[in-house]
C-alpha cells in the first residue's frame, strides 16, 4: 500500500545513510541554530498527543517554532473529538488537511502506522505504546555522535523496563545496524528485552548478553542507558510494585564505572537515578533532552524538503487472522487491514502494526 507522503514510523523503514544525514544535519543545526530560523516559514505542524509527554511534545513544538513554522494540536484527547469516539482514521484525515506534518503519540502499538494509512501529509511516530519511539532514537544517536564521537564499537548497557520501554526497542534496532556494537541488557526476568528485538540484533550481526545487576557489568560500559519502570503498561499495581526500585543508579555504582562512560535516560526519571548523580560530568540525560530539539529540527526539515512516496504496508492482508497482542491498534480500530509479513525464517507471521509474532 503506497502513500504519496513520506512518514517516519520506524527508523528501519529507511537506510542507515538517511538517519546519518538527519543526525549530521542535527549537529550542524546545534552548531549554528540561527542559520535555520526560516527553513520552515509558512509551514504548520500538528501534534496529536493521546498520551502524556513533556519533552517529546515540547521539543517538537520548539523545533518547529525555531524553524519559523507554526504549531497546532492537542495534548489531552479529552479536549478533542477523540472523547466523542472519533477514530484515528477520521482525526488524522481531518488534521492532515490542516497541517503539513503530523506528529502522533498514542498508548496503543501501531497507532502511528494506522494514522499514516489515511493522512494527507507526513506522519511522525512520537511513541506508539510500548512499541517504538524513532525520534527519541534520533536524539540518542545525535547524543552518541557528539558525546562519544562514534555510533559503532560501543558497549551499551540498557537497564530497567526493557519489555515495555519503546525507547530501548528503537535504539537497539538502530544501533545494531552499526558495526561492533555490543548490548548488555540489565533487567529482572519479567522485564527482559522482547525476543523479536533480540532476533533483529542477531540478524544485524551485533551481539548481546543479559545481566541481573548494574554492579556486575558497569565497569565494561561505554554507555549506560537507564529507563523507568513503565507503570502505565503493567496489568496491575501489584505487578508494578514488584518491579519498582529494583535498579537505582547512585554515586556508589558510578564509582565502579569508567571515567568516559556516559549515562543516558530518555526521561522522565522516577527513582532509578539518584539526584546526586546529576552533578557527575558523565550524566548526560539533560544534555540529551536538549539535543532532542536539534534532532527534531533536522527531522522536520528533512521530511518537509523531500517529496517521496512511502510504502505503508508491505505484507499481505489476512482478513480472518487476528493479531494476538491485545495492545495492538488492529484490535482497537476494526477497519484496519489485518496485514502480516513472514518472519525471516518463514515460520511465523508478524503483525505489520505492532510486530507481534504468531505461529503460522
Ligand atoms: C520516553 C517515552 O515516552 O517513551 N520518554 C520520552 O519520550 N522522552 C520514556 C518514558 O516515558 O519512560
Amino acid at each position: 500500500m503506497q502513500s504519496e507522503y513520506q512518514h517516519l514510523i520506524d527508523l528501519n523503514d529507511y537506510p542507515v545513510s538517511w538517519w546519518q544525514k538527519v543526525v549530521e544535519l542535527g549537529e550542524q543545526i546545534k552548531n549554528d541554530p540561527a542559520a535555520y530560523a526560516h527553513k520552515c516559514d509558512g509551514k504548520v505542524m500538528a501534534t496529536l498527543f493521546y498520551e502524556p509527554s513533556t519533552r517529546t511534545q515540547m521539543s517538537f513544538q520548539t523545533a518547529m517554532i525555531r524553524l519559523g513554522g507554526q504549531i497546532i494540536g492537542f495534548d489531552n484527547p479529552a479536549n478533542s473529538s477523540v472523547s466523542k469516539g472519533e477514530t484515528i482514521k477520521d482525526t488524522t484525515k481531518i488534521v492532515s488537511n490542516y497541517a503539513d506534518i503530523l506528529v502522533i503519540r498514542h498508548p496503543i502499538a501501531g497507532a502511528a502506522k494506522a494514522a499514516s494509512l489515511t493522512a494527507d501529509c507526513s506522519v511522525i511516530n512520537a511513541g506508539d505504546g510500548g512499541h517504538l519511539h524513532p525520534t527519541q532514537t534520533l536524539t540518542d544517536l545525535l547524543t552518541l555522535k557528539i558525546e562519544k564521537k562514534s555510533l559503532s564499537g560501543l558497549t551499551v548497557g540498557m537497564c530497567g523496563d526493557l519489555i515495555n520501554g519503546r525507547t530501548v526497542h528503537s535504539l537497539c534496532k538502530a544501533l545494531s545496524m552499526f558495526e561492533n556494537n555490543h548490548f548488555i541488557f540489565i533487567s529482572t526476568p519479567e522485564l527482559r528485552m522482547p525476543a523479536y528485538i533480540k532476533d533483529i540484533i542477531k540478524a544485524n550481526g551485533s551481539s548481546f548478553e543479559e545481566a541481573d545487576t548494574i554492579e556486575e557489568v558497569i565497569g565494561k560500559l561505554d554507555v549506560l542507558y537507564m529507563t523507568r519502570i513503565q507503570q502505565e503498561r503493567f496489568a496491575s499495581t501489584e505487578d508494578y510494585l514488584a518491579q519498582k526500585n529494583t535498579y537505582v543508579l547512585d554515586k556508589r555504582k558510578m564509582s565502579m564505572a569508567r571515567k568516559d562512560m556516559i549515562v543516558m535516560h530518555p526521561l522522565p526519571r522516577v527513582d532509578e537515578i539518584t539526584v546526586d548523580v546529576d552533578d557527575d560530568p558523565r550524566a548526560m540525560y539533560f544534555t540529551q533532552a536538549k539535543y532532542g530539539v536539534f534532532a527534531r529540527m533536522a527531522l522536520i526539515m528533512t521530511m518537509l524538503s523531500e517529496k517521496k512516496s512511502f510504502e505503508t504496508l508491505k505484507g499481505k492482508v489476512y482478513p480472518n487472522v487476528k493479531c494476538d497482542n491485545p495492545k495492538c491498534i488492529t484490535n482497537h480500530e476494526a477497519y484496519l487491514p489485518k496485514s502480516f509479513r513472514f518472519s525471516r525464517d518463514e515460520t511465523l507471521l508478524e503483525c505489520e502494526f505492532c510486530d507481534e509474532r504468531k505461529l503460522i
Side-chain angles (χ1 to χ4, degrees):
M1 204 171 155
Q2 288 285 129
S3 157
E4 57 178 297
Y5 300 94
Q6 184 170 224
H7 307 294
L8 176 59
I9 308 304
D10 178 341
L11 271 181
N12 296 69
D13 290 331
Y14 291 88
V16 178
S17 56
W18 186 90
W19 329 338
Q20 276 170 321
K21 260 175 43 198
V22 177
V23 170
E24 274 158 28
L25 179 58
E27 198 170 4
Q28 285 163 23
I29 296 172
K30 172 191 168 274
N31 294 335
D32 187 9
Y36 298 85
H38 297 287
K39 294 289 181 191
C40 290
D41 281 357
K43 298 289 183 193
V44 175
M45 179 183 77
T47 51
L48 306 187
F49 275 58
Y50 293 75
E51 198 186 51
S53 167
T54 307
R55 271 150 300 277
T56 305
Q57 192 198 25
M58 288 196 202
S59 66
F60 259 116
Q61 294 179 338
T62 307
M64 190 50 154
I65 292 168
R66 291 204 185 280
L67 290 167
Q70 307 280 320
I71 54 170
I72 58 169
F74 59 74
D75 56 13
N76 180 357
N79 295 338
S80 75
S81 286
V82 174
S83 65
K84 301 177 188 165
E86 190 169 63
T87 57
I88 291 185
K89 183 175 196 277
D90 290 2
T91 307
T92 52
K93 186 80 187 164
I94 302 301
V95 178
S96 66
N97 282 307
Y98 303 155
D100 301 288
I101 195 156
L102 196 154
V103 180
I104 180 168
R105 166 171 288 195
H106 199 282
I108 307 289
K113 173 152 281 205
S116 74
L117 302 186
T118 39
D120 290 317
C121 74
S122 285
V123 172
I124 295 177
N125 180 8
D128 58 331
H131 185 218
L132 295 173
H133 195 344
T135 71
Q136 180 65 46
T137 297
L138 289 173
T139 301
D140 298 343
L141 295 179
L142 179 61
T143 306
L144 290 170
K145 177 144 192 297
I146 296 171
E147 300 298 334
K148 297 300 294 180
K149 311 273 179 275
S150 178
L151 299 177
S152 40
L154 298 171
T155 299
V156 182
M158 295 186 170
C159 176
D161 191 347
L162 305 184
I163 192 164
N164 295 305
R166 56 194 173 196
T167 61
V168 284
H169 300 165
S170 284
L171 186 56
C172 281
K173 287 179 68 174
L175 276 182
S176 63
M177 298 289 288
F178 294 88
E179 274 180 18
N180 291 327
N181 287 324
H182 178 65
F183 301 93
I184 305 185
F185 299 135
I186 310 156
S187 78
T188 59
E190 294 78 15
L191 301 183
R192 294 270 189 243
M193 189 59 83
Y196 90 92
I197 297 285
K198 292 181 193 164
D199 287 348
I200 291 172
I201 291 172
K202 281 190 257 170
N204 289 343
S206 290
S207 55
F208 69 86
E209 62 189 279
E210 294 186 310
D212 296 317
T213 66
I214 296 177
E215 290 92 322
E216 68 193 89
V217 295
I218 193 166
K220 300 195 238 176
L221 304 177
D222 296 303
V223 181
L224 175 57
Y225 197 103
M226 295 295 294
T227 63
R228 82 184 159 93
I229 308 297
Q230 308 254 313
Q231 180 171 8
E232 69 278 26
R233 309 207 196 282
F234 279 75
S236 70
T237 310
E238 293 75 61
D239 289 353
Y240 166 66
L241 291 176
Q243 300 294 332
K244 192 178 176 287
N245 290 331
T246 313
Y247 297 104
V248 179
L249 181 66
D250 56 17
K251 270 189 145 168
R252 186 185 64 81
K253 290 179 196 131
M254 285 298 284
S255 71
M256 302 175 201
R258 295 212 314 256
K259 292 277 167 283
D260 63 348
M261 184 195 83
I262 61 168
V263 183
M264 295 172 67
H265 191 310
L267 303 175
R269 153 176 62 184
V270 182
D271 45 20
E272 57 282 352
I273 304 179
T274 57
V275 288
D276 53 9
V277 175
D278 298 355
D279 301 325
D280 190 308
R282 295 169 292 180
M284 211 49 69
Y285 28 94
F286 297 127
T287 308
Q288 182 186 352
K290 189 171 81 183
Y291 292 160
V293 175
F294 305 124
R296 291 180 173 107
M297 286 171 81
L299 175 65
I300 294 168
M301 271 180 63
T302 305
M303 303 279 290
L304 288 178
S305 61
E306 292 174 357
K307 183 97 180 130
K308 277 193 197 145
S309 66
F310 187 88
E311 212 177 341
T312 47
L313 292 177
K314 304 184 183 105
K316 190 169 168 220
V317 175
Y318 297 85
N320 301 321
V321 179
K322 190 175 171 310
C323 174
D324 292 337
N325 177 5
K327 293 182 193 164
C328 173
I329 195 71
T330 56
N331 289 318
H332 292 258
E333 305 238 345
Y335 58 84
L336 289 168
K338 313 277 181 288
S339 185
F340 296 84
R341 55 175 184 256
F342 284 107
S343 61
R344 284 170 213 249
D345 62 4
E346 303 201 347
T347 58
L348 302 162
L349 278 184
E350 295 174 344
C351 172
E352 275 216 87
F353 289 84
C354 74
D355 292 314
E356 179 83 6
R357 307 188 293 186
K358 68 192 291 162
L359 281 169
I360 296 170

